[in-house]
Amino acid sequence: ETATLPREGAAVLKSGVGEREEPVLIWEEDCEWIEWAVDIPQEGLYALSVDYYPLEGTGVDISRELEVNGESPFSETHNITFSRIWQDDGAPKVNAAGDEVIPRQKEIHKWVSFDLTDSNGMYSPFCFFFHEGMNTIRMNYINQPVAIAKVTVKSPDTIPDYESVRS
């Protein structure tokens, strides 16, 4: 895969992000989009997976718009959410009424491998139609910085039919 940027220096490659030694793409607000050219061996439906690392931001989830071959395949690709990871910062406390109060949350910075899906979990994973040969995948910046290590085009997992599971 080959990445294309809107202009030179719009995004940078950096090593050592999240303890990952190989260089990764640092994508911040001043880069409007990133496009990848991919060579597809056979026409059909494919899933997309992204290895990402949430960079310091305002704490809201990361959002990008996705286009395949210059078009948004369906409305859910207008806002794809890359979640941040949170955990409790300490044990729950008990208030004056004797109720447990949820502790503060702290963000955990780690690499996540994410099969693109909608934020409601209705379509998991998204499947995109690609022609045989060269195709383009473009992500447009909506909000929040992120590091991207890899974008993978893969055959979607097949769900076995009832008869094969039953036997």
Side-chain angles (χ1 to χ4, degrees):
E1 68 198 39
T2 304
T4 304
L5 303 172
R7 65 192 169 289
E8 187 152 339
V12 296
L13 288 175
K14 184 176 178 184
S15 298
V17 176
E19 301 178 11
R20 187 169 258 184
E21 291 304 315
E22 66 270 11
V24 298
L25 191 64
I26 304 297
W27 190 1
E28 298 182 303
E29 186 175 10
D30 57 346
C31 181
E32 300 87 13
W33 54 266
I34 297 175
E35 190 170 88
W36 292 268
V38 293
D39 192 6
I40 302 298
Q42 181 179 350
E43 181 176 278
L45 292 176
Y46 291 87
L48 295 176
S49 178
V50 177
D51 288 1
Y52 74 96
Y53 185 90
L55 299 172
E56 289 293 329
T58 63
V60 299
D61 286 335
I62 299 148
S63 296
R64 298 294 186 268
E65 178 184 27
L66 179 88
E67 297 174 6
V68 174
N69 294 322
E71 297 180 2
S72 293
F74 35 88
S75 62
E76 291 83 1
T77 62
H78 292 290
N79 191 356
I80 294 177
T81 302
F82 297 84
S83 298
R84 293 180 180 276
I85 309 298
W86 300 92
Q87 77 176 25
D88 292 344
D89 189 13
K93 299 190 185 324
V94 177
N95 66 14
D99 297 323
E100 284 190 354
V101 178
I102 296 173
R104 289 179 169 227
Q105 299 292 292
K106 67 178 178 182
E107 186 173 359
I108 303 302
H109 293 280
K110 68 178 198 173
W111 283 98
V112 178
S113 185
F114 171 59
D115 289 340
L116 297 191
T117 185
D118 71 310
S119 58
N120 296 323
M122 299 287 290
Y123 309 99
S124 182
F126 285 147
C127 289
F128 302 96
F129 180 79
F130 288 96
H131 301 282
E132 182 178 339
M134 294 308 293
N135 291 261
T136 59
I137 300 166
R138 177 184 278 207
M139 285 193 200
N140 298 309
Y141 188 98
I142 296 176
N143 70 7
Q144 300 299 304
V146 67
I148 295 179
K150 123 175 119 164
V151 175
T152 305
V153 179
K154 60 186 186 174
S155 295
D157 296 333
T158 55
I159 300 171
D161 63 31
Y162 182 75
E163 284 303 316
S164 28
V165 171
R166 193 172 90 132
S167 49

